[in-house]
Amino acid sequence: YVNSGGNFVMMDLKTPEKAEGLIRALMEKGVFVRHLIAFGLPHCIRVSIGKPEDNQHFIDTLKEVF
């Protein structure tokens, strides 16, 4: 992830293909993240910070798809 002071976490997946693959895998599990391709960062995704249970669901799903 990229350290920031925002209400989101930006993850650098190093390649656009890895970012796209993770986005698809998460989406298939009902977890939606933002691809940062429109910001010139095709290798990155943004994960919004939510309620504790939402954050835990994201972490659990991320572990599952990795």
Side-chain angles (χ1 to χ4, degrees):
Y1 75 96
V2 177
N3 193 11
S4 77
N7 67 339
F8 61 88
V9 175
M10 185 173 91
M11 295 176 64
D12 184 346
L13 283 291
K14 305 298 182 195
T15 70
E17 295 79 17
K18 287 181 182 177
E20 292 166 9
L22 181 58
I23 291 166
R24 274 194 306 274
L26 290 171
M27 191 180 302
E28 289 174 4
K29 301 286 186 180
V31 175
F32 299 92
V33 297
R34 179 167 180 142
H35 196 180
L36 296 180
I37 195 167
F39 295 92
L41 301 167
H43 54 285
C44 295
I45 64 169
R46 184 182 92 178
V47 180
S48 296
I49 303 301
K51 297 180 282 185
E53 58 270 20
D54 297 331
N55 297 335
Q56 189 60 56
H57 178 67
F58 170 75
I59 291 167
D60 295 341
T61 304
L62 185 64
K63 288 177 182 178
E64 185 180 327
V65 299
F66 264 126

